[in-house]
Amino acid sequence: MCIRDRILDHYRDPRHRAPVSHADVEAEEFNPFCGDRVTLQFRLDGQGRVVEASAQSEGCSIIQASASMLADIALGMSVAELESLDELFRAMMQNGLAAEGGDHRLGDLHSLQVVRQFPVRIKCALLPWTALAEGIKEFRSKNS
């Protein structure tokens, strides 16, 4: 599947849209300039790994694809692994650092590197990740 098709697949058939009851990590972000909105929810098991994920998003194809890919890849990850993935994805989107290396940890997310060609749209791809960072920050503050 080519890069464009992978993005469109996640946009047209987003994964993990159903709300998660009793979410451990949860956050909503909204971009008032374009109307993009995302709500992320993750339920963790006893070992702190994501066992249920939800990404509900509204807006352009990029935010919807990014949110779907994030929820998809998050399953089975620990909070620390999600934080590491967040850093890696942001580096790819902002600096192109992972784009050249083709880091396998990014999975389908690697296809979003094409968004770097349109700098104003990078914020669309990063909005779910902003929600993730805020959700983790709140989770850590509640559980410290």
Side-chain angles (χ1 to χ4, degrees):
M1 184 179 295
C2 76
I3 289 171
R4 182 175 179 264
D5 290 343
R6 196 168 295 126
I7 293 169
L8 287 174
D9 177 49
H10 278 272
Y11 165 63
R12 291 179 179 145
D13 183 24
R15 281 57 156 185
H16 312 286
R17 298 277 296 183
V20 171
S21 61
H22 310 303
D24 298 295
V25 177
E26 184 172 18
E28 181 178 345
E29 288 293 322
F30 175 66
N31 182 342
F33 298 108
C34 66
D36 285 350
R37 178 183 307 273
V38 63
T39 301
L40 290 180
Q41 297 175 309
F42 297 115
R43 188 171 60 80
L44 307 176
D45 66 10
Q47 287 76 45
R49 295 198 169 274
V50 176
V51 292
E52 199 174 348
S54 172
Q56 299 171 337
S57 58
E58 301 171 6
C60 70
S61 59
I62 295 168
I63 185 178
Q64 292 190 48
S66 182
S68 174
M69 290 176 190
L70 169 54
D72 210 26
I73 201 168
L75 289 172
M77 287 190 166
S78 69
V79 172
E81 289 169 333
L82 284 172
E83 289 173 315
S84 177
L85 184 68
D86 179 30
E87 288 179 25
L88 184 62
F89 183 74
R90 286 177 188 277
M92 179 187 77
M93 294 307 297
Q94 295 170 339
N95 307 319
L97 299 177
E100 288 81 28
D103 197 300
H104 67 280
R105 292 177 293 166
L106 289 169
D108 283 353
L109 290 162
H110 196 267
S111 64
L112 289 169
Q113 71 180 320
V114 71
V115 174
R116 293 186 67 244
Q117 297 172 15
F118 312 97
V120 77
R121 303 303 300 274
I122 291 173
K123 285 186 177 190
C124 302
L126 290 176
L127 194 64
W129 299 85
T130 301
L132 174 68
E134 287 302 312
I136 290 173
K137 181 179 170 184
E138 186 176 321
F139 169 76
R140 289 202 184 280
S141 72
K142 286 180 182 176
N143 295 292
S144 58

